[in-house]
Amino acid sequence: MRHRQRGSHLGLMLLASQVFRVGLDNIPPVTLGVLALNLYLYLFPAAPLLKACVSVQQAYWFNDWRRLLLSPLHHVDDWHLYFNMASFLWKGISLEQRLGGPWFFYLLSVFSLLTGVVYLVLEAVLTELMQDQSYSTTCAVGFSGVLFGLKVVSNHYCPGGVTNVMGIPVSNHYASWAELVIIHITSPGTSFVGHLAGILVGLLYTSGPLKIIMKKCAEIVSMNGYNTQPSGYYNSSGSSGYGGTSGQYPGNHQYAPDNTSNHTASYSGGLTEEEQLEAAIRNSLNDRGQRSQRGAPPPYGFDLSEEARAEEIRRRRLRRFES
């Protein structure tokens, strides 16, 4: 979340370069759709930023609650859009592959709305504690609050890993908090409270009741013929893990559907975001190869020679980590 200013289009060019470097065929549909929506609303805003940003004054005092929908999808400038979408790209590929498209879309929708609500609550509390009305009038936009929530969820799946934050190795358990502080120090124009709201929403999902509430709501929806459960994740007992003969594992770790372990994800904690993005792409290609062997059509386009190269790279990386 940031405050308003327009820049050049260099950020857009870098974003396009990043997307085409990854390859459109390697980006799963929900991630690609959300990225495209953010880009579209940057080029053709649904409302001016001063009417899209969210604040206690505008949302609560003036009863303009639609800002909760608009604020995560609008960005201050092309650099704001680039950094958020580049970060979302690797998080989206990794989490959508793990959770499945319907549940990932569900997760994004809940996080987008709830991050705005928590932001408003925090700003209202600060207004009362500090007796300063500026907290209630501070207006923020951007997808970065949601990204902090996704960062918490992503790190939750690699609890023993290490993330490099500005060149400093930090345990995944504390990585989001370290990034919160460092980003606020290095980029004063960012919304500290908005990012904090995202972290708290992520913790509500990984350690609080939010995941259970979402499952209950999904159960109700599925009774009406719609399936929003995580791919291979949920069973009637409500336990964590995937179904099947090896469907549950100690420590609440989760693995790819069809009882195939995502080995690279186990080691992704110590990698940079770019390396994690490459690992996620390779895993996506490997999954498609397994589907192809079972006779299922490849979902995003698939090249057998590309799979072979990706598989060899994956084996070499695993041997390097194991050694």
Side-chain angles (χ1 to χ4, degrees):
M1 291 187 175
R2 289 183 57 181
H3 309 283
R4 167 73 170 169
Q5 69 181 32
R6 280 280 175 180
S8 66
H9 295 296
L10 181 58
L12 293 179
M13 290 187 286
L14 288 174
L15 178 59
S17 173
Q18 182 88 339
V19 169
F20 285 108
R21 184 180 70 83
V22 173
L24 291 176
D25 290 343
N26 295 324
I27 305 175
V30 173
T31 300
L32 183 61
V34 171
L35 192 152
L37 178 61
N38 276 270
L39 176 60
Y40 177 83
L41 289 176
Y42 174 77
L43 297 173
F44 307 100
L49 282 188
L50 290 177
K51 293 186 178 181
C53 63
V54 65
S55 68
V56 175
Q57 180 190 52
Q58 297 296 332
Y60 182 68
W61 295 356
F62 298 157
N63 204 33
D64 189 1
W65 295 105
R66 73 180 187 128
R67 290 171 182 262
L68 290 174
L69 297 174
L70 296 176
S71 60
L73 301 175
H74 288 75
H75 290 82
V76 172
D77 54 37
D78 59 321
W79 285 109
H80 189 202
L81 177 72
Y82 166 69
F83 286 120
N84 279 352
M85 293 300 101
S87 178
F88 174 67
L89 190 58
W90 78 263
K91 291 181 177 70
I93 291 175
S94 175
L95 288 175
E96 185 171 350
Q97 179 186 354
R98 178 182 290 273
L99 300 175
W103 187 267
F104 184 57
F105 179 78
Y106 183 25
L107 184 74
L108 284 176
S109 301
V110 172
F111 274 30
S112 296
L113 286 174
L114 199 54
T115 298
V117 172
V118 174
Y119 170 77
L120 293 178
V121 171
L122 292 176
E123 292 283 28
V125 170
L126 286 172
T127 299
E128 292 299 319
L129 290 178
M130 307 300 293
Q131 292 297 302
D132 184 351
Q133 295 297 318
S134 66
Y135 290 104
S136 290
T137 58
T138 300
C139 212
V141 293
F143 204 68
S144 52
V146 178
L147 290 175
F148 268 87
L150 295 180
K151 179 77 171 179
V152 172
V153 175
S154 181
N155 289 342
H156 175 69
Y157 295 129
C158 300
V162 175
T163 298
N164 290 318
V165 180
M166 301 291 287
I168 303 172
V170 178
S171 168
N172 278 351
H173 189 68
Y174 304 105
S176 298
W177 298 103
E179 289 184 10
L180 173 69
V181 174
I182 290 175
I183 288 176
H184 185 63
I185 293 173
T186 58
S187 303
T190 58
S191 174
F192 178 86
V193 178
H195 296 165
L196 175 60
I199 291 177
L200 294 179
V201 170
L203 290 174
L204 281 174
Y205 180 83
T206 60
S207 305
L210 181 57
K211 185 190 296 185
I212 297 174
I213 295 172
M214 288 175 62
K215 285 181 182 178
K216 293 297 182 184
C217 293
E219 270 188 32
I220 295 172
V221 172
S222 64
M223 289 178 183
N224 295 323
Y226 300 95
N227 181 21
T228 57
Q229 300 294 349
S231 177
Y233 174 88
Y234 183 76
N235 58 35
S236 59
S237 65
S239 302
S240 295
Y242 285 93
T245 56
S246 56
Q248 296 197 14
Y249 298 81
N252 202 29
H253 294 292
Q254 297 177 15
Y255 298 84
D258 302 311
N259 299 320
T260 58
S261 297
N262 184 350
H263 297 288
T264 306
S266 302
Y267 299 96
S268 63
L271 306 179
T272 64
E273 290 196 355
E274 184 174 350
E275 290 170 328
Q276 292 183 51
L277 175 59
E278 293 172 356
I281 295 170
R282 288 195 298 272
N283 291 337
S284 178
L285 290 172
N286 292 335
D287 282 353
R288 288 175 214 163
Q290 292 163 3
R291 291 190 189 98
S292 178
Q293 291 172 6
R294 293 194 301 269
Y300 312 124
F302 181 70
D303 180 73
L304 290 176
S305 61
E306 187 175 21
E307 183 205 23
R309 290 194 299 271
E311 178 65 20
E312 180 61 25
I313 293 172
R314 186 179 72 86
R315 289 198 191 97
R316 290 178 182 177
R317 187 176 291 275
L318 286 178
R319 284 198 295 269
R320 187 184 73 182
F321 277 109
E322 290 168 354
S323 63

